[in-house]
Amino acid sequence: KKTKEINYKIGNHMNKNEMLEQSIENTNRLLKIVDKLEQRIATLEKVLESHAKCIGRLAHDKENRNEQS
C-alpha cells in the first residue's frame, strides 16, 4: 500500500500498457523527426554539391580570363 501511495505521488500512476503505448508513441515521434532531418540533410548535400560545381566553374572561368589578358 505504501509503495502505491509513493508511486502515485511521484507521478507513476500509469499502468504498464499506458507506459508502453506512450513509449511507442514517443519513439514514433522521434523516428519521424529523424526521417525529416535525414531528408533535409540529403537536400542540403545536393545543394552544396551544386554550389561547389558552380564555384568551381566560376573559378575556372576567372583563371581563363586572367590568362587571356
Side-chain angles (χ1 to χ4, degrees):
K1 187 175 180 178
K2 280 270 190 197
T3 305
K4 284 185 177 181
E5 289 175 21
I6 292 170
N7 285 340
Y8 187 78
K9 285 180 182 177
I10 61 172
N12 192 10
H13 51 275
M14 287 190 284
N15 67 33
K16 289 182 183 181
N17 286 338
E18 289 172 333
M19 290 173 64
L20 182 61
E21 286 175 14
Q22 187 173 9
S23 179
I24 291 170
E25 220 175 274
N26 289 338
T27 301
N28 287 337
R29 280 190 200 126
L30 288 173
L31 290 173
K32 285 180 185 178
I33 291 168
V34 168
D35 187 47
K36 285 181 182 181
L37 287 173
E38 286 176 339
Q39 290 173 7
R40 289 179 183 179
I41 289 169
T43 301
L44 288 172
E45 287 173 339
K46 289 177 186 174
V47 170
L48 183 60
E49 183 181 341
S50 174
H51 286 179
K53 285 180 185 176
C54 290
I55 291 169
R57 281 190 222 126
L58 290 172
H60 181 68
D61 291 348
K62 185 178 178 181
E63 284 177 16
N64 287 342
R65 276 186 258 134
N66 288 340
E67 289 174 2
Q68 292 174 356
S69 300

